[in-house]
Amino acid sequence: MSEREGQEQVVSRAAGIRVREVDLGGRAPIGSGAATEVFRLDSFTVPGHQGGVAFVRVRDGKAPEWDSAVLSRLVALRWGLDARERGMLDAVSAGPLAVVEGDGGEVVGCLVPLAAHPFYYVPVDDPEHRKVTQNAKWLISAPKRARRAGAAAVSERDVVARATVLARVSLLLGVLHRNGVVFGDLSERSVLFGAVEVASAFVVGCEGAAFAGEGALQRNSAGWAAPSSSDVDLSREPSVQSVETDRYKLGLLVLRVLAPAGDGLDRSRDASRAAGVLDEQGQRMLDRALGDDPATRPTAADWYAYLRGLVALQLAAPVIRGVSVSPALVAEGDEVRLTVEVDGAREVVIEMPGRADIRREVAGRLVTERFTARQSGRIGVRAANAHGSATALTDVVRVLPVPTPARIAVASPSVPAALAVLPDLASLEAAMGISLPPGNPRSAPAASDTAAGSTPPGVSPFDRVAALRARLEADALPLHDILRIGVEAERASREPLFPTVEHFLADVDLPDATDIDLTDPPAKSS
């Protein structure tokens, strides 16, 4: 008897397909979960299944969420599908192929299709270089983190790869739901992905599925439990789940895989985080998927159709849906905001009057850019991908130039020479080093005047101001001179050696108030 014939005898279809653990032969561990251990079988195969086989062994056969009878029915359901649908399930999921019995006839696990090569990676920090499964947490975290860990780094802008993974998961859930099966514990750890030329997905953990409406308990992963009347927190407790909770978790997966990476994305339930990637239809679907009304959540088939369309848009020339700029009237140097609504673009080039082009790699359908306006004109937008390009122009943006003054008018004060209410500031003037023009009587005062400590009548420091004013261009001063004067004045005010006004006034003889004539001077004859 050949080895193949011997295996066909081992595998029977009496109650689903059942095999004994002792007949599985050589095995090697390839992973583990919270409730299971997974082994790759060296040579054992299942008739009718093309590909490798893995053995999923249950850690605790008495756990409340473990039901061997349900597992047997899941195996029988798979074999009851037509060959095309069964082949599809084997390609995208580790659905149960056979029930595995222990020495005493108890169910200890099941056989499932083995995940293919693209769904593994070698961690850079593992000295033994052992392969581990590559799950969707590396799609949710920033690509640079995946790269540092040794996993495949899928760009956030690679909508094709990300949407393809999600579409495959949607396809699997659609088949299960159509056959009355609830997947249950959907999370980033149950979705493996491969980032080869064409992205692929493989869903594990299918042995935990249950039949809808039977009240079976199913596991939850932390951060993925659907809200209910009794549990709105992040829970890991097993619960009775439904097709509607599967739809909620699928919505979470769409959000976390498509939204740009950021703080808390792996725990976020905020549908608006994907607004830059999804169009209006997709955003409405995501809002309903994560909403409180289970009856309005999109089906897995709805998501499959939408995600296929999203991928198709990326595989054709981009389409610019609209461009807008605000405000349309700005002062030179002010900021304007450009918004571009585009489908299928990988790069957007913004061409502006008076400045260099701006190039941006994009992944979503909504592109916003802020920049400084320098010149009036239209702003050009060119969107491109590997399949073509599209162009568009905005309305005219008018930029008003801002005038730059070169000279500032400065008015000089006009002080009447006859004003005698101020004291004689000759001592202050001399101490400040102000010299009078040649010929001025104050430039060489008489000895008698000096001795008396007075100045000739009608002569005051304001005469000096008037003389200087006559020599200036009184209408205006150059702006740079005004700035220089201000700087010098500010510097002088901080100079500790500069004498204070009080020091000058100490030597000034102020006239007695009774000696000041406050009457109006006689009018001059014409």
Side-chain angles (χ1 to χ4, degrees):
M1 178 185 299
S2 67
E3 180 181 359
R4 183 77 175 185
E5 292 172 342
Q7 288 183 1
E8 289 180 353
Q9 289 183 357
V10 169
V11 179
S12 70
R13 298 186 182 178
I17 295 183
R18 310 179 75 85
V19 299
R20 294 183 303 171
E21 185 176 3
V22 295
D23 296 326
L24 297 180
R27 69 193 72 174
I30 57 174
S32 63
T36 59
E37 295 176 302
V38 185
F39 303 87
R40 182 187 65 248
L41 300 183
D42 294 339
S43 58
F44 194 89
T45 60
V46 174
H49 169 68
Q50 304 297 322
V53 177
F55 170 38
V56 178
R57 200 178 202 287
V58 179
R59 295 180 188 272
D60 182 8
K62 297 181 180 180
E65 67 273 14
W66 171 250
D67 191 332
S68 60
V70 171
L71 180 63
S72 297
R73 290 168 60 195
L74 290 173
V75 172
L77 173 65
R78 175 192 175 275
W79 286 107
L81 299 174
D82 60 50
R84 177 178 175 276
E85 204 165 31
R86 189 167 61 244
M88 185 277 298
L89 282 180
D90 292 351
V92 299
S93 70
L97 299 169
V99 174
V100 179
E101 298 175 342
D103 294 338
E106 74 283 8
V107 175
V108 297
C110 62
L111 301 182
V112 299
L114 180 67
H117 169 70
F119 304 111
Y120 299 87
Y121 75 101
V122 178
V124 296
D125 57 354
D126 184 2
E128 299 184 13
H129 303 289
R130 292 172 298 187
K131 291 183 178 180
V132 297
T133 53
Q134 180 171 265
N135 60 47
K137 76 175 183 178
W138 299 119
L139 292 176
I140 298 173
S141 61
K144 62 182 179 181
R145 292 187 57 191
R147 193 177 298 108
R148 287 198 299 264
V154 179
S155 169
E156 292 181 332
R157 300 179 176 89
D158 194 347
V159 178
V160 172
R162 292 172 177 270
T164 299
V165 170
L166 294 170
R168 289 177 178 267
V169 176
S170 301
L171 179 63
L172 169 66
L173 292 181
V175 173
L176 294 180
H177 294 168
R178 190 166 61 250
N179 287 277
V181 176
V182 177
F183 184 87
D185 191 17
L186 182 67
S187 72
E188 81 280 5
R189 295 186 178 277
S190 58
V191 178
L192 310 184
F193 76 95
V196 289
E197 184 176 353
V198 177
S200 53
F202 192 77
V203 181
V204 298
C206 301
E207 69 280 355
F211 288 89
E214 296 185 356
L217 293 176
Q218 293 178 277
R219 295 184 60 85
N220 284 295
S221 293
W224 289 81
S228 66
S229 58
S230 60
D231 178 19
V232 295
D233 298 324
L234 307 185
S235 173
R236 303 180 67 171
E237 293 298 320
S239 63
V240 177
Q241 301 182 49
S242 64
V243 169
E244 287 74 23
T245 60
D246 272 3
R247 293 171 180 172
Y248 180 89
K249 295 182 181 183
L250 178 58
L252 279 185
L253 188 67
V254 171
L255 165 65
R256 296 172 182 179
V257 170
L258 288 184
D263 292 340
L265 179 61
D266 57 336
R267 302 178 301 277
S268 177
R269 297 170 187 247
D270 181 6
S272 65
R273 293 186 68 155
V277 180
L278 300 176
D279 58 14
E280 185 177 351
Q281 176 191 355
Q283 193 61 51
R284 286 198 305 268
M285 291 176 63
L286 191 57
D287 290 338
R288 296 201 313 272
L290 302 182
D292 295 331
D293 186 359
T296 63
R297 291 169 186 163
T299 67
D302 293 335
W303 277 116
Y304 179 70
Y306 175 80
L307 292 165
R308 281 195 62 182
L310 189 59
V311 171
L313 285 175
Q314 304 294 320
L315 300 179
V319 177
I320 298 177
R321 302 293 183 185
V323 294
S324 62
V325 63
S326 177
L329 179 64
V330 295
E332 183 179 358
D334 281 354
E335 187 178 73
V336 297
R337 176 177 178 173
L338 175 70
T339 302
V340 182
E341 185 180 352
V342 61
D343 290 330
R346 295 300 299 272
E347 180 186 63
V348 168
V349 181
I350 303 170
E351 302 167 347
M352 296 166 294
R355 60 174 296 168
D357 296 347
I358 297 177
R359 293 179 178 271
R360 292 288 183 268
E361 290 187 16
V362 298
R365 58 179 304 276
L366 200 63
V367 181
T368 59
E369 187 71 30
R370 295 178 181 270
F371 50 87
T372 301
R374 295 181 181 175
Q375 184 177 325
S376 297
R378 295 178 181 270
I379 299 174
V381 176
R382 180 166 58 86
N385 62 17
H387 309 283
S389 63
T391 59
L393 285 173
T394 68
D395 294 333
V396 174
V397 178
R398 300 194 181 278
V399 180
L400 302 179
V402 177
T404 304
R407 302 171 73 86
I408 297 179
V410 176
S412 297
S414 177
V415 181
L419 184 61
V421 296
L422 294 178
D424 187 354
L425 301 180
S427 299
L428 177 59
E429 185 180 63
M432 295 180 66
I434 298 177
S435 59
L436 297 177
N440 190 296
R442 290 285 304 282
S443 62
S448 59
D449 294 332
T450 304
S454 61
T455 58
V459 178
S460 73
F462 295 107
D463 296 331
R464 173 63 173 161
V465 174
L468 292 175
R469 184 177 185 278
R471 294 165 53 190
L472 293 174
E473 296 180 3
D475 293 337
L477 288 177
L479 179 59
H480 65 84
D481 285 350
I482 294 176
L483 297 177
R484 178 179 57 77
I485 292 170
V487 171
E488 290 297 325
E490 194 275 338
R491 181 192 63 77
S493 69
R494 291 185 286 103
E495 177 58 55
L497 298 179
F498 192 79
T500 63
V501 174
E502 289 80 3
H503 174 75
F504 294 133
L505 294 180
D507 298 328
V508 176
D509 293 329
L510 298 177
D512 187 76
T514 58
D515 297 333
I516 300 176
D517 184 8
L518 299 179
T519 60
D520 294 335
K524 295 181 181 180
S525 58
S526 56

